Amino acid sequence: MGDLLLGADFSKKIIPGWETLNPEKLTFHKNSPPELRGTFDPHTNSYYLLKSSGLWDDFDAGVNIKFTGGDKEWIRGGLYTRFSSEGGYGFLVSAQASYTFGTFAKDNTGELVFHKIMAWTYHTALRPGFNEVNRLRVICNAGNFRIFLNGVMATSFKDEKFTMGKLYLVAEPSEKSKITIAFSDLQLREVPK
């Protein structure tokens, strides 16, 4: 793995290099590793938990995700990368051991809409259910992307729509279910050589 560019210590409310979003819904825990936990009501859009203070182009991002409550058919969480008001990329895992990724682009009203590059897909590397830790790792290197699930390379793709933006940590309930989720070990590293 490349050198650490930016990490997150979830045992503290102030995290250098990150802006906390929806702080009233978040708690910080000094577990091993420290966890950022949140409970979010049913909603049609994602909830943002953190966003990077700086803009990132090429990087290797990873985070542990643990679902602790909600209807497992409808809850998911993950990372938005190279994200801005113009769009970006989204990478999500679910409590059903599935994952998806795609791009955000503005619709005719100016709202950002998610367009799947890959539909929700089951993967044997993901652990289904509650209180299971799954690691999502995304390597963005120019127009090349690689997605790892619990250390297993799940897929790769090429896209050059967005070259730079912020990194967001997101929780995504649905209109049908609230979500309780925990994140740990968030790291941004240099792209491996």
Side-chain angles (χ1 to χ4, degrees), residues 5-172:
L5 300 171
L6 181 63
D9 180 358
F10 290 143
S11 68
K12 301 174 183 171
K13 290 185 179 182
I14 307 279
I15 307 172
W18 299 95
E19 180 182 342
T20 303
L21 307 168
N22 290 298
E24 72 286 354
K25 298 182 180 299
L26 303 175
T27 56
F28 298 81
H29 299 266
K30 296 182 180 184
N31 297 9
S32 182
E35 287 183 337
L36 173 64
R37 299 178 191 163
T39 299
F40 302 92
D41 294 325
H43 201 276
T44 56
N45 295 318
S46 297
Y47 285 96
Y48 304 144
L49 286 69
L50 290 180
K51 75 174 175 179
S52 62
S53 296
L55 300 173
W56 300 94
D57 53 4
D58 297 342
F59 56 83
D60 177 354
V63 67
N64 293 338
I65 303 168
K66 179 172 64 174
F67 301 99
T68 58
D71 182 339
K72 79 174 194 174
E73 304 297 318
W74 299 104
I75 57 176
R76 49 220 169 239
L79 299 169
Y80 291 174
T81 67
R82 295 180 179 170
F83 199 71
S84 71
S85 60
E86 298 303 310
Y89 300 96
F91 303 88
L92 299 168
V93 298
S94 79
Q96 299 179 66
S98 61
Y99 74 112
T100 190
F101 57 91
T103 61
F104 286 90
K106 288 185 177 179
D107 65 10
N108 56 6
T109 67
E111 294 291 317
L112 286 178
V113 176
F114 186 65
H115 301 277
K116 292 177 187 167
I117 294 174
M118 186 184 78
W120 282 102
T121 302
Y122 170 78
H123 199 283
T124 57
L126 290 170
R127 299 174 193 98
F130 295 107
N131 299 307
E132 295 286 349
V133 175
N134 285 294
R135 184 150 189 87
L136 171 64
R137 180 181 175 203
V138 178
I139 299 175
C140 300
N141 189 8
N144 299 305
F145 295 81
R146 288 186 287 165
I147 302 168
F148 293 81
L149 305 171
N150 292 324
V152 175
M153 186 168 159
T155 196
S156 64
F157 69 98
K158 293 183 181 188
D159 190 277
E160 297 182 352
K161 286 185 190 73
F162 305 102
T163 58
M164 181 181 292
K166 299 203 174 207
L167 181 87
Y168 283 71
L169 191 62
V170 300
E172 195 171 284

